[in-house]
Amino acid sequence: MTLSPCGINCDECPFKEQCGGDCFACEGKPFYIKDFGFETCMIYDCAVTQKGFKNCGECAELPCQIWYDWKDPDMTEEAHVQSIHDRAKILKAL
């Protein structure tokens, strides 16, 4: 299983070919990031670039405010919070 720094299973992502397979391949710059007004994913930038982690599971602040702020606009708030819980659980178990 290939996990992104935020715990998304890249192997199951329908857009993995557009990103080169995972966040590390595209260096935190997935194809959609500019649509949100960013050059690099905020989570990737914090975890990998700034802190030198492989993923957010190495951070004592998981899940931090960035996770709550970085929401897919197509998700309900309930689904977003559940996604955070599920991904944090996976990363903490590593």
Side-chain angles (χ1 to χ4, degrees), residues 5-92:
C6 69
I8 291 174
N9 182 344
C10 299
D11 297 334
E12 295 176 355
C13 179
F15 305 109
K16 70 181 178 182
E17 298 306 317
Q18 292 170 288
C19 292
D22 63 49
C23 287
F24 295 99
C26 69
E27 298 178 327
K29 297 175 177 134
F31 67 96
Y32 58 82
I33 202 72
K34 289 188 179 186
D35 293 343
F36 293 98
F38 299 100
E39 289 294 318
T40 305
C41 171
M42 295 182 301
I43 294 174
Y44 182 95
D45 185 53
C46 178
V48 179
T49 306
Q50 293 179 32
K51 295 180 178 169
F53 295 151
K54 182 177 181 181
N55 62 58
C56 294
E58 298 178 41
C59 184
E61 297 176 43
L62 174 67
C64 69
Q65 190 61 46
I66 294 172
W67 278 46
Y68 290 96
D69 292 344
W70 190 233
K71 179 184 173 289
D72 180 338
D74 294 330
M75 290 181 96
T76 65
E77 188 62 30
E78 182 178 287
H80 176 61
V81 171
Q82 185 63 51
S83 172
I84 289 170
H85 172 77
D86 294 345
R87 292 180 292 128
K89 184 176 177 180
I90 289 167
L91 291 172
K92 287 178 180 180

